[in-house]
């Protein structure tokens, strides 16, 4: 096997084939220092805790693994009803040199098994022994693929669990719910599951009983009304959204450890800001907070304590009589019933983090209250009129003033530290020089999934063709065919097929979450001892 650097806290292990990758992934269950494993088509991404094990020691342990040659365990069997009327059915058949009818017949006859999960919760990469199925992705991905779309790419079949962008060849559709947070397991197509596709020509019906029918959305994707909040909160204090920002979300430390279900860690984009705000109000460091892109107006019900960190801008608290007082960044402030907090447009940074003493009490999903915007997991983006209860999770006394960080404003130049790899060898020497030698500008086409960067000279590849799907970490710098990199943020897909030239070091991740459009970025490679 070949072991590559994926970041300063992850290694990418290349296997001979899919079967070996699956066996290696199983063999490393419980390995010391490993946080999470993300299997791919011919790789396993191994995230580790650098405080528990060094990269060198972990690489040695991984290389010494003896692979179990026994049959891979199965986790059950499911039937997926499909209506074969996909937009790309004829084109996919032509690419494979068969008729559409033969493609459908062989898809129905093949023995399929879920190899691994990725891209989004409930998205299983399903593989068969039929050599026919090796289909290139579309040259131009769709911006919207409907939920339930059955698609082909490479040697895999997949079913999109929710509407999302995608570049797979669409051959049909199903009404079967790929993801249901209340089901065990939540993913219908979980790794090891045997899959049989069944053709239906009438209206598609669910593969399960009607009583088990469930929307693919993991939790209520309306707004955070009282019914969606934690019913066990003993306090009457709450926060009302008067005017939301461009994006106002509930966030916490995320949900690591669910990669096997296709679920990324997600979580707050600026971990330092969350820790500072929670410390100021006496919460545990990972208590749920609000993350606001730009200005917003919030109203407090009941008495409480709040604090704001992250982005820097004007912060005003207006009481019920209209009296305004200025709030200091990072300083805890008391609130009484009717107080309204106004967050001005940030002068530096991008995301405010707002903590309230006791934490934001919304219903958790997979042990976290974080909103994953790509997966649709966790609370929906907040809208005017939503009301959030305040919990009772405060554990410490409030702390005094914390000075704001020096965060960038549009036009500023920011240095971000990276490690190269795992696919830097897919690029020319000139491209590697361009990566660190030229400035990149943060474009407005950026969100919590990733920051789209733009440079005068695109990154040129030395290896053409498609990369089999493999895992990616937060902070990965993925390079699509146009050569303009995308810097992954917390809501990125777990796996992808574009090569990753490098990744931010852990200490650069929080700063990346605070980059507004117009900031200029310069990458510097971390020096190794």
């Amino acid at each position: 096997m070949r072991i590559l650097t994926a970041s300063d806290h992850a290694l990418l292990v290349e296997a001979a084939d899919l079967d070996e990758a699956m066996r290696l992934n199983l063999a490393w269950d419980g390995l010391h220092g490993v946080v999470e494993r993300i299997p791919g088509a011919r790789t396993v991404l191994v995230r580790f805790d650098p405080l528990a094990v060094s990269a060198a020691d972990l690489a040695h342990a991984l290389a010494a693994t003896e692979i179990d040659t026994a049959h891979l365990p199965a986790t059950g069997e499911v039937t997926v009803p499909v209506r074969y009327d996909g937009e790309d059915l004829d084109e996919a058949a032509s690419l494979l040199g068969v008729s559409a009818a033969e493609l459908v017949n062989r898809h129905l006859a093949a023995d399929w098994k879920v190899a691994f999960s990725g891209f989004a919760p409930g998205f299983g990469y399903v593989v068969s022994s039929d050599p026919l199925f090796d289909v290139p992705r579309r040259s131009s991905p769709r911006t919207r693929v409907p939920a339930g779309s059955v698609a082909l790419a490479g040697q895999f079949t997949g079913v999109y669990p929710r509407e999302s962008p995608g570049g797979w060849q669409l051959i049909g559709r199903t009404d079967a719910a790929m993801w249901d947070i209340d089901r065990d397991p939540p993913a219908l197509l979980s790794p090891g599951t045997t899959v049989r596709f069944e053709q239906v020509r009438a209206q598609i019906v669910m593969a399960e009983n009607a009583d088990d029918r469930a929307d693919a959305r993991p939790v209520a994707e309306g707004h955070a009304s009282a019914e969606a909040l934690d019913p066990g909160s003993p306090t009457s204090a709450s926060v009302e959204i008067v005017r939301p920002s461009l994006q106002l979300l509930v966030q916490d430390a995320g949900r690591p450890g669910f990669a096997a279900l296709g679920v990324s860690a997600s979580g707050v984009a600026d971990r330092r800001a969350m820790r500072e705000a929670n410390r100021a109000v006496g919460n545990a460091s990972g208590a749920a907070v609000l993350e606001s892109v730009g200005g917003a107006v919030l109203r407090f019900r009941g008495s409480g304590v709040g604090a704001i960190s992250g982005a820097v801008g004007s912060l005003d608290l207006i009481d019920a009589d209209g009296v305004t007082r200025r709030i200091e960044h990072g300083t805890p402030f008391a609130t009484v019933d009717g107080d309204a907090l106004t967050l001005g447009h940030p002068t530096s940074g991008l995301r405010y983090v707002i903590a309230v003493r006791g934490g934001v009490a919304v219903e958790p999903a997979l042990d976290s209250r974080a909103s994953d915007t790509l997966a649709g997991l966790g609370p929906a983006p907040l809208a005017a009129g939503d009301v959030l209860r305040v919990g009772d999770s405060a554990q410490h006394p409030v702390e005094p003033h914390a000075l704001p960080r020096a965060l960038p404003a549009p036009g500023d130049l920011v240095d971000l530290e990276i490690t190269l790899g795992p696919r830097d060898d897919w690029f020319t020497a000139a491209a590697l020089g361009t990566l660190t030698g030229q400035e990149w500008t943060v474009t407005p086409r950026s969100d919590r999934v990733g920051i789209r960067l733009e440079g005068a000279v695109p990154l040129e590849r030395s290896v053409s063709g498609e990369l089999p799907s493999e895992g990616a970490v937060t902070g990965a710098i993925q390079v699509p065919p146009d050569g303009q990199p995308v810097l992954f943020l917390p809501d990125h897909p777990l796996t992808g097929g574009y090569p990753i030239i490098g990744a931010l070091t852990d200490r650069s991740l929080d700063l990346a979450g605070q980059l507004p459009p117009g900031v200029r970025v310069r990458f510097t490679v971390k020096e190794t001892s």
Side-chain angles (χ1 to χ4, degrees), residues 434 438-441 454-459 484:
T434 299
Q438 81 172 0
E439 295 176 3
W440 302 90
T441 301
E454 187 175 84
V457 180
L459 299 178
Q484 301 290 349

Side-chain angles (χ1 to χ4, degrees), residues 270 310-312 347-351 405-409 412 510-511 514:
D270 184 348
V312 177
T347 56
S348 62
L350 179 66
R351 293 178 168 91
R405 287 143 59 199
L407 294 176
D412 289 349
D510 293 333
L511 179 56
Q514 291 288 1

Side-chain angles (χ1 to χ4, degrees), residues 334-408:
T335 64
V336 297
D337 188 65
D339 282 353
L341 174 66
T342 299
L343 310 174
H345 185 77
T347 56
S348 62
L350 179 66
R351 293 178 168 91
Y352 290 109
V353 173
I354 307 106
V356 290
R357 182 169 176 81
V360 177
V362 297
E363 193 70 31
L366 295 180
D367 304 329
S368 170
R369 294 178 168 88
S371 175
D372 185 332
T373 59
L374 178 66
L377 186 60
L382 299 172
D386 288 345
V387 178
L388 304 166
R389 289 196 187 97
V390 175
D392 64 344
S393 62
Q395 302 176 356
H396 313 287
V398 297
E399 289 198 9
H401 181 67
L403 295 175
R405 287 143 59 199
L407 294 176

Side-chain angles (χ1 to χ4, degrees), residues 107 110-114 126-128 133 155 157 193-195 197:
H107 195 260
D111 295 322
W112 296 92
K113 189 171 186 177
V114 183
V126 191
V127 66
S128 83
F133 294 102
Q155 65 191 109
T157 288
T193 300
T194 299
V195 181
F197 294 101

